[in-house]
Amino acid sequence: MPFLQLANVRKLYPNAAAAAVENFSLDVEAGEFVSLLGPSGCGKTTTLRMIAGFETLTAGQIVMDGKAIEEMRPNQRNIGMVFQSYALFPNMTVADNIGFGLSVGGSAKAAIQQRVREMLALIKLEELGARYPYQLSGGQQQRVALARALAIRPKLLLLDEPLSALDAKIRVALRNDIRAIQRKLGITTLYVTHDQEEALSLSDRVVVMNHGLIEQVGNPFEIYNFPRTTYVAQFVGTLNLLDAVVVEPTAGSVQIQGQPAHTTSLAGCSQGEQIRLALRPELLALKSTGQADENRLAGVVETIAFLGAVVRIQVRVGEALLALDEFNNPQLAVPAVGSPVFVYFARSSCLKLL
Amino acid sequence: MRRINWFAWLWFTLGALYFVLPLWGTLIFSLQKRRGVLSLDAYSAALGDPRFVETFVFSNFMAICTILASLLLIVPTAYWVHLHLPRWRPVVEFVSLLPFVIPAIVLVFGFIKLYSKPIVLLGIPLFPSLTTSNLSTNLLLIAGYTVLSLPYMYRAVDNGLRAMDVGTLTEAAQSLGAGWWTILWRVILPNLRTALLSGALLTFAIVVGELTIATFLARPAFGPYLALLGNHRAYEPAALAIVSFLLTWVAMGLIDRVTRGTRDVVAGSH
Ligand SMILES: Nc1ncnc2c1ncn2[C@@H]1O[C@H](COP(=O)(O)OP(=O)(O)OP(=O)(O)O)[C@@H](O)[C@H]1O
Ligand SMILES: [Mg+2]
């Protein structure tokens, strides 16, 4: 039995035309780190708030640790929550913030102090217990908020875009710390973000959401390499989308912009069918010759952009524009804009999308 | 540049004179009880009057009760409106401004008319006449003062609530296991400290000088005493006016000190 189980959860806000969350079913195992990923307004926060108890469900069930929790009040669920805006109590010191939950729960003073010390050590801010929130940086405030949520030994940890108010460097450092702490404590965690890199780098599994619906659930490897829908493929990383016509389904042969090519994912297609193929830029290469079973498309270089570690080259193939990435190095022979080139890619790297 | 400065100074001086001259006149007048010399006779006479002490203490006590009553009424109400009924905020705000529109005399006559007889609803006596005993009349007085202080108190609390993220702080406290009273007492109230202090001091100023309600409820308050004194004496009311000015300034200084001390905390929390 999974630790947290959401079954057909639906949320329709009063006076809203469409449901914010629809038919949401998800099983989370104990100790798992699961991210909800999706664009603004897709219902990530709403889902999290229903689990925390701040929103009621229109339909469906939520079971945590074998108990239905959707009727429980938020202060009885024992779920830790970390907010985007930190939400530290401005009138309390760092130590009092961290100890608040225990003190509300009636723990003894000595036990609270002990736990606060443990938590401060966990977030590596031992020195700052006596400070007030306004005397801390954003990153430090969010660490304290994490410690405060964890101090009560919650059954579940919810984080709603905890890093989006921070600048890029701290974001990466803190997200690694969050993951390390989560692993150390083994706490089941749901993490909301609209940043695909964050979701892929942190999570055991990623839930990609779109307009309140789950598009795909999978581990980061599956989500990135085998997106099931155009939506997921486009949302997670850069992607080339190519229209193609099926020539011979059993042989896997297709036509892309009038040029022959092959793919390994034509199951269930019929001859002459219009399909859509996805290609990751990093799986394409500019070469003069390639292996016999590689696909080859002829095109013309349209733009070249240096992105640091990689060089992104856009090649026009008929009506389509293909982006491809080459790792940057001083010996790299970058073709001139306007020159004719061949783009090579493996048959298996070309995915058919739903 | 020079001319603009000059004009600014001219207006500033005119404005200052407008405020300072009457005050100065009152001060000088209050010092002239003894013919020909400046003395504090008027002050010692006014402050030494046992009726002064009695009414002043009474009004201060009423002011404290009023502040407590309006806090109990307004803080939970404003908090709830902020949290759950944000669309009703303009309505509540309008209600809180009604004391500016309805004169105190109307309020107090309404009180007397309604509460001087026992209130019986459908044959069940709800409560007895409230104007027959001093204690119950004091309760009416506090109720009236609470109404008068409503615009100031509500505004102060509302501003305080706006300055913090009430919704998220509440949810953070809830997720840590806190119930409503814990949240109000340990999270919301402490963060309203500054706002509450300024509201309380304004309420204090209003209550201590209030005339109409206290007069018609016939309670020994400071406002009616001042008015009475003004009818019979010349120098003493001037002396008391100066004293109350000083008290007001002290109060304003206190507000300033308190708000300055905590402004960093509030501003830094965002
Ligand atoms: N209290 C509310 N009342 C009515 N509609 C709401 C409410 N909260 C959210 N919505 C709507 O529900 C949908 C989902 O909102 P939600 O906040 O869950 O999105 P999100 O995925 O968290 O987006 P973001 O990344 O911008 O935070 C949106 O269309 C939003 O407008
Ligand atoms: Mg959100």
Side-chain angles (χ1 to χ4, degrees):
Chain A
M1 174 128 193
F3 183 75
L4 175 72
Q5 203 168 18
L6 288 92
N8 305 310
V9 170
R10 173 184 159 88
K11 176 68 188 184
L12 183 66
Y13 283 108
N15 306 322
V21 174
E22 185 77 88
N23 200 23
F24 191 104
S25 297
L26 178 71
D27 291 354
V28 181
E29 297 300 329
E32 211 180 359
F33 191 117
V34 175
S35 290
L36 304 185
L37 175 66
S40 186
C42 72
K44 309 179 295 287
T45 298
T46 304
T47 308
L48 215 62
R49 290 172 57 81
M50 285 190 285
I51 299 170
F54 302 134
E55 299 287 354
T56 53
L57 280 69
T58 310
Q61 285 95 43
I62 302 178
V63 176
M64 182 174 74
D65 202 10
K67 275 200 290 281
I69 59 167
E70 67 267 6
E71 298 291 326
M72 277 162 87
R73 276 193 245 134
N75 59 358
Q76 295 169 337
R77 295 191 185 196
N78 197 17
I79 292 177
M81 179 110 185
V82 175
F83 301 84
Q84 181 179 348
S85 58
Y86 323 135
L88 294 178
F89 307 126
N91 56 309
M92 298 179 203
T93 61
V94 165
D96 289 344
N97 264 285
I98 297 176
F100 181 83
L102 295 174
S103 126
V104 166
S107 295
K109 248 205 175 102
I112 296 176
Q113 280 173 354
Q114 171 63 26
R115 183 72 178 155
V116 168
R117 269 197 302 276
E118 275 171 42
M119 287 293 118
L120 283 171
L122 189 70
I123 57 168
K124 304 193 193 85
L125 292 180
E126 288 98 332
E127 317 296 314
L128 303 186
R131 291 227 192 143
Y132 282 89
Y134 74 94
Q135 297 168 317
L136 302 179
S137 72
Q140 290 169 333
Q141 289 191 48
Q142 197 57 297
R143 277 167 204 271
V144 174
L146 178 66
R148 180 180 68 176
L150 291 172
I152 56 170
R153 296 187 174 84
K155 291 181 168 175
L156 181 67
L157 179 63
L158 306 177
L159 305 105
D160 191 355
E161 309 208 20
L163 305 179
S164 51
L166 301 169
D167 63 54
K169 269 223 176 87
I170 297 174
R171 212 150 50 207
V172 173
L174 190 48
R175 88 179 180 211
N176 293 334
D177 288 349
I178 289 177
R179 182 57 158 147
I181 289 171
Q182 187 269 339
R183 281 220 170 91
K184 189 166 164 188
L185 302 180
I187 184 168
T188 315
T189 302
L190 272 182
Y191 187 100
V192 160
T193 179
H194 59 250
D195 180 337
Q196 48 104 3
E197 187 193 322
E198 218 167 272
L200 294 178
S201 65
L202 280 176
S203 321
D204 295 317
R205 280 192 302 151
V206 178
V207 178
V208 184
M209 292 179 69
N210 180 19
H211 289 312
L213 290 163
I214 295 183
E215 284 274 330
Q216 187 172 357
V217 183
N219 65 36
F221 186 82
E222 290 165 346
I223 295 285
Y224 189 84
N225 291 313
F226 306 106
R228 275 184 47 237
T229 62
T230 313
Y231 179 85
V232 176
Q234 274 183 320
F235 194 76
V236 181
T238 320
L239 198 82
N240 293 299
L241 293 178
L242 286 174
D243 289 325
V245 184
V246 178
V247 176
E248 179 53 63
T250 45
S253 69
V254 295
Q255 276 216 324
I256 300 171
Q257 301 292 328
Q259 305 187 41
H262 287 83
T263 164
T264 52
S265 58
L266 279 191
C269 291
S270 53
Q271 197 170 346
E273 191 181 335
Q274 293 275 352
I275 58 168
R276 178 168 269 195
L277 297 174
L279 280 166
R280 292 273 177 216
E282 63 269 28
L283 299 179
L284 307 183
L286 289 183
K287 294 186 285 196
S288 43
T289 56
Q291 316 271 308
D293 64 343
E294 271 187 315
N295 286 313
R296 186 183 84 169
L297 296 177
V300 177
V301 175
E302 190 151 306
T303 62
I304 297 172
F306 285 92
L307 306 177
V310 298
V311 181
R312 177 154 297 167
I313 301 167
Q314 287 192 304
V315 177
R316 181 158 294 284
V317 176
E319 310 233 295
L321 202 55
L322 275 181
L324 62 94
D325 290 348
E326 299 261 12
F327 280 109
N328 199 356
N329 72 63
Q331 279 78 45
L332 187 69
V334 181
V337 171
S339 58
V341 288
F342 288 121
V343 179
Y344 283 88
F345 52 94
R347 293 181 175 191
S348 60
S349 62
C350 159
L351 286 180
K352 180 180 154 288
L353 297 173
L354 292 178
Chain B
M1 268 327 264
R2 265 206 117 93
R3 261 182 59 178
I4 293 170
N5 264 342
W6 198 83
F7 263 107
W9 274 108
L10 176 70
W11 285 114
F12 176 75
T13 313
L14 281 178
L17 285 179
Y18 180 78
F19 283 109
V20 170
L21 272 185
L23 203 59
W24 179 252
T26 309
L27 176 67
I28 295 300
F29 183 71
S30 73
L31 294 174
Q32 289 176 335
K33 188 174 163 80
R34 205 180 305 169
R35 204 170 289 271
V37 286
L38 297 183
S39 72
L40 290 175
D41 283 8
Y43 289 84
S44 53
L47 300 183
D49 183 353
R51 293 259 299 140
F52 162 78
V53 179
E54 189 189 312
T55 57
F56 194 68
V57 168
F58 176 81
S59 279
N60 276 287
F61 180 62
M62 287 296 112
I64 291 168
C65 294
T66 304
I67 288 166
L68 289 180
S70 60
L71 284 188
L72 272 178
L73 179 72
I74 290 169
V75 173
T77 310
Y79 172 61
W80 204 253
V81 169
H82 258 262
L83 205 57
H84 294 296
L85 307 165
R87 269 185 293 171
W88 283 79
R89 220 150 68 178
V91 178
V92 179
E93 210 169 302
F94 175 75
V95 170
S96 82
L97 287 178
L98 282 180
F100 282 158
V101 187
I102 299 169
I105 186 102
V106 174
L107 182 70
V108 71
F109 273 108
F111 274 11
I112 292 171
K113 193 148 176 51
L114 191 61
Y115 296 112
S116 59
K117 289 172 299 209
I119 293 195
V120 179
L121 191 70
L122 305 172
I124 308 157
L126 283 185
F127 43 85
S129 162
L130 291 182
T131 46
T132 46
S133 83
N134 281 347
L135 181 70
S136 60
T137 314
N138 284 351
L139 290 181
L140 272 186
L141 189 62
I142 292 168
Y145 287 161
T146 305
V147 172
L148 290 190
S149 75
L150 193 62
Y152 306 97
M153 266 305 196
Y154 180 78
R155 205 137 297 260
V157 172
D158 191 55
N159 281 341
L161 289 172
R162 264 172 224 245
M164 63 175 138
D165 187 352
V166 176
T168 317
L169 287 180
T170 300
E171 286 175 0
Q174 276 183 305
S175 75
L176 294 167
W180 291 116
W181 284 111
T182 312
I183 297 173
L184 259 179
W185 186 246
R186 291 183 57 180
V187 177
I188 303 298
L189 261 185
N191 289 306
L192 282 178
R193 207 181 51 184
T194 314
L196 292 185
L197 241 137
S198 51
L201 286 174
L202 278 171
T203 303
F204 211 92
I206 294 168
V207 169
V208 170
E210 205 280 333
L211 177 64
T212 316
I213 297 182
T215 305
F216 283 96
L217 289 177
R219 300 305 300 143
F222 188 59
Y225 167 72
L226 259 190
L228 191 73
L229 199 67
N231 290 341
H232 299 290
R233 301 286 173 84
Y235 298 98
E236 283 82 352
L240 286 181
I242 294 294
V243 168
S244 52
F245 250 104
L246 286 180
L247 283 180
T248 311
W249 280 348
V250 168
M252 278 166 49
L254 271 182
I255 295 179
D256 194 51
R257 278 288 292 278
V258 169
T259 47
R260 201 172 288 172
T262 49
R263 198 170 294 150
D264 301 343
V265 179
V266 174
S269 67
H270 293 285

